[in-house]
Amino acid sequence: MAGHAEDFDIIIAKNVNKWYGEFHALKNVSLDVKRREVVVVIGPSGSGKSTFIRTINRLEEHQSGEIVVDGIPLTHDVRNIEAIRMETGMVFQQFNLFPHLTVIQNITLAPINVRKMKKREAEERAMQLLERVGIPEQAQKYPGQLSGGQQQRVAIARALAMQPKIMLFDEPTSALDPEMIREVLEVMEELAESGMTMVVVTHEMGFARGVADRIVFMDAGEIVEIGTPEHFFTTPQHDRTKLFLEQILK
Amino acid sequence: MATDVHSPSWVNTNHPAPPQRPPASEVGVLGWLRTNLFIDIGNSILTIVTLIVLYYIVTNLVQWAIGAYWTPIWVNRKIFAVGLYPTAQLWQPALVLLMVSALFGVSAGQWGSMIRGLGFGLGVLLLALALIPIGLEAQLVMAGSLALLVVGYFIGARLPIPNKLLSIAWILSLPATLILLLGGLNFPAWGISWTFAPLVDTNLWGGLMLTMLLAVVGIALSFPIGVLLALGRRGNLPVIKYFCVGYIELIRGVPLITLLFMGMTMLPLFLPSNWGNPSQLVRAVTAITFFSAAYLAENVRGGLQAIPKGQYEAAEALGLGSFDKLRFIILPQALTKVIPAIVGQFIGLFKDTSLVSLVGLLELVAVGKAVIQQPEWLGVPGGVAKEVYVFVAFVFFIFSYGMSFVSRKLENKLGFGKR
């Protein structure tokens, strides 16, 4: 996988389809994400945006179409799935920290057991990451003792500890009190500046406008429109996009 | 400062306000009496009637207890404790008690919470037995155990003993107990015969010791089986899943006594013939283990179901394989959640072991029955059955209530800190 050009497509999704029983949740979704690119996915609830990013690391299985992550095709082969999961970090709406482990244990668990890193080294790296997300003093606490914003920052540090090439964010600020959204977005902005490839599902239009390289608008399981923030917020093309933007920017 | 409700805008310059005490009628003894016992006329009548009935029952019980004939229990205290275990070899169960006390002490110091509660209960019991003149040697053993418990506690609290080491010690303590009580190892079928004392036939084990042993061995052996059954039942492999469901429902649909009788009669059919005849104790333990495993599986399944889907997803997204996911994320949380249920099950099993008296093992209830029939008490008017059964019930109660008390405290505690 080494030696690819800078603009190599690190995520390739081609005609991805997914059904929940009879319900057609993703309809021929195709999207390529370049290395170091930040793609923000927006759309009304139920539009399939969360489902789509969850197919990228196989938390949801797609039934037809093709997904290739960092050159690894996403098939039923467990080794491929695990290889892809090692390359992609994910941050969830509900944080999903492990409540029975301390913050530092949450962060070092996967590096020690999946990457086979030495405990000392994993802990040192974890502390650096906690510095980076601004809460090194919380290392020995349990998740239940932290605020929502702090928990989400730990979740970001936990994902980064695996040294992923791609970070997936599934509505990372939707479960947060308004006072805490800012601190999480700042971490994400810093991450984007550092050159991380990011796919972000969010309702934070300020973040989309300020940080995204491209914005993807989804509705009813389909990609409706893709464009730069400039294009999106000034000259949206599709009527559905215009309606959505009107309603949320009102 | 009162809110100015008429003004269109108002700022609370007093924020944050200091908290104030609740009104006197809500707190204190009088407040409690009022809200709980005498809230209205009906409630007051109920309270008074209940108090009268309670008074009547308690005074009668106390009167009976003072006049009752407790000598048979005092005389047979050794049999109630260990059954027919040879008196000359009582140092072997004594060593077990010393070992378990030391382990409890160190674990209580290291782990705290529930083990500390149980260790405290054990300490109180040992202290009481050391002070009652049950016999100098026995008292010395109790005092020694108490000393080990206390010393172990301080060692466990001060020294950083690895959790793994302590867990392994606990796991090894079970076979060690059995070997100590037996006086060695004896498997003629495999050519193993090693003894450090005359072998003590398991049919001689009895009393509270046997009751405890059956419950502990039953839970310990059924634990891994129960966890596997629960995982199998929750898994995606149909054959394994239906086997587990079938096993669990079959066992849960049958009374323990039936399983005990089946174990007594049918177990030899399933064992290689050169293993010889398994002892009655082995047959009973097998039945109890299979019985307990089915219930444990259901308890563990409850814990597994309580783990949110997000925990699985987070573990998967980090690249953990299925085994690591279970080991590090799912099982620790699921098992912690079901500790109170497992303790409850243990208490149930502790009491259910009294059924083995029906298949010829001399546990606490069987000892009681035997004592009642002793010829010495034939002349006692009304017999000694009341005294003996009250005593046996009291022993069961002390242990069961002690454990459920500790478990309830733990349940309250689990709600905090790690939320």
Side-chain angles (χ1 to χ4, degrees), chain B residues 16-363:
Chain B
Q20 290 169 347
R21 287 190 56 75
S25 65
E26 297 293 314
V27 292
V29 178
L30 276 181
W32 184 87
L33 281 177
R34 231 180 64 122
T35 46
N36 288 288
L37 298 181
F38 302 103
I39 201 149
D40 57 24
I41 292 185
N43 182 270
S44 305
I45 292 174
L46 260 180
T47 302
I48 291 165
V49 170
T50 313
L51 284 178
I52 292 171
V53 172
L54 263 179
Y55 175 77
Y56 180 78
I57 293 176
V58 170
T59 48
N60 270 302
L61 256 179
V62 170
Q63 258 175 17
W64 172 81
I66 292 170
Y69 188 62
W70 298 106
T71 313
I73 291 148
W74 182 248
V75 172
N76 288 296
R77 56 190 184 277
K78 181 240 155 189
I79 304 185
F80 275 111
V82 293
L84 300 176
Y85 202 92
T87 311
Q89 286 176 260
L90 279 178
W91 58 273
Q92 289 166 243
L95 273 182
V96 171
L97 185 63
L98 290 164
M99 173 184 77
V100 171
S101 300
L103 263 178
F104 252 111
V106 176
S107 310
Q110 184 76 17
W111 290 334
S113 83
M114 177 154 194
I115 300 284
R116 182 160 47 202
L118 287 175
F120 182 76
L122 179 66
V124 171
L125 201 68
L126 289 172
L127 182 64
L129 289 172
L131 294 177
I132 301 170
I134 48 174
L136 185 61
E137 285 176 343
Q139 281 172 282
L140 283 178
V141 169
M142 300 299 160
S145 301
L146 183 60
L148 278 179
L149 184 77
V150 174
V151 171
Y153 179 80
F154 285 109
I155 291 177
R158 297 279 157 77
L159 298 181
I161 295 156
N163 277 345
K164 256 186 203 154
L165 195 73
L166 211 46
S167 308
I168 290 172
W170 272 110
I171 291 169
L172 288 181
S173 73
L174 200 58
T177 298
L178 296 177
I179 291 170
L180 268 175
L181 290 180
L182 266 175
L185 277 171
N186 191 32
F187 296 107
W190 298 330
I192 299 174
S193 188
W194 167 80
T195 58
F196 59 86
L199 284 177
V200 182
D201 193 282
T202 52
N203 282 337
L204 299 178
W205 302 10
L208 181 62
M209 180 185 82
L210 180 64
T211 298
M212 273 288 172
L213 206 65
L214 283 171
V216 171
V217 174
I219 281 282
L221 293 184
S222 66
F223 192 82
I225 306 175
V227 170
L228 287 179
L229 282 170
L231 290 174
R233 186 169 189 170
R234 293 264 296 162
N236 300 325
L237 304 167
V239 177
I240 291 177
K241 182 174 173 168
Y242 290 114
F243 171 79
C244 294
V245 172
Y247 176 86
I248 291 168
E249 297 306 333
L250 191 72
I251 296 282
R252 294 204 317 150
V254 174
L256 174 58
I257 185 69
T258 323
L259 288 174
L260 279 169
F261 281 127
M262 279 171 67
M264 290 297 147
T265 51
M266 289 172 63
L267 183 64
L269 303 181
F270 293 96
L271 295 178
S273 56
N274 67 340
W275 281 26
N277 238 349
S279 70
Q280 260 159 321
L281 181 70
V282 169
R283 298 181 200 199
V285 164
T286 309
I288 288 174
T289 302
F290 281 130
F291 175 79
S292 169
Y295 286 85
L296 217 139
E298 287 299 271
N299 279 333
V300 173
R301 185 165 71 108
L304 288 173
Q305 269 164 351
I307 308 297
K309 206 171 143 230
Q311 293 290 307
Y312 289 86
E313 289 179 350
E316 283 161 20
L318 284 169
L320 291 173
S322 335
F323 182 67
D324 281 351
K325 182 173 69 181
L326 275 178
R327 184 161 63 128
F328 295 122
I329 309 302
I330 307 304
L331 279 181
Q333 294 188 64
L335 294 182
T336 317
K337 278 185 209 292
V338 297
I339 286 176
I342 290 176
V343 173
Q345 200 196 326
F346 179 78
I347 295 169
L349 195 64
F350 175 69
K351 292 178 292 180
D352 284 349
T353 53
S354 51
L355 286 172
V356 303
S357 63
L358 296 176
V359 292
L361 284 167
L362 208 61
E363 55 66 68

Side-chain angles (χ1 to χ4, degrees), chain A residues 25-40:
Chain A
L26 294 178
K27 301 171 187 160
N28 286 319
V29 175
S30 297
L31 181 73
D32 293 350
V33 178
K34 288 184 178 53
R35 182 164 290 201
R36 307 174 81 82
E37 192 178 24
V38 177
V39 173
V40 170

Side-chain angles (χ1 to χ4, degrees), chain A residues 54 57 59 82 85 88 90 92 96-101 109-110 113-114 142-145 158-159 162, chain B residues 309-322 324 327-330 332-333 336 417-419:
Chain A
R54 287 158 59 88
N57 64 350
L59 290 184
E82 279 177 7
R85 284 175 176 167
T88 46
M90 186 161 212
F92 300 88
N96 294 346
L97 292 177
F98 305 129
H100 61 301
L101 302 178
L109 180 80
N113 292 289
V114 182
Y142 285 95
Q145 298 165 294
R158 177 176 72 176
M162 283 295 281
Chain B
K309 206 171 143 230
Q311 293 290 307
Y312 289 86
E313 289 179 350
E316 283 161 20
L318 284 169
L320 291 173
S322 335
D324 281 351
R327 184 161 63 128
F328 295 122
I329 309 302
I330 307 304
Q333 294 188 64
T336 317
K418 287 187 173 187
R419 199 166 23 189

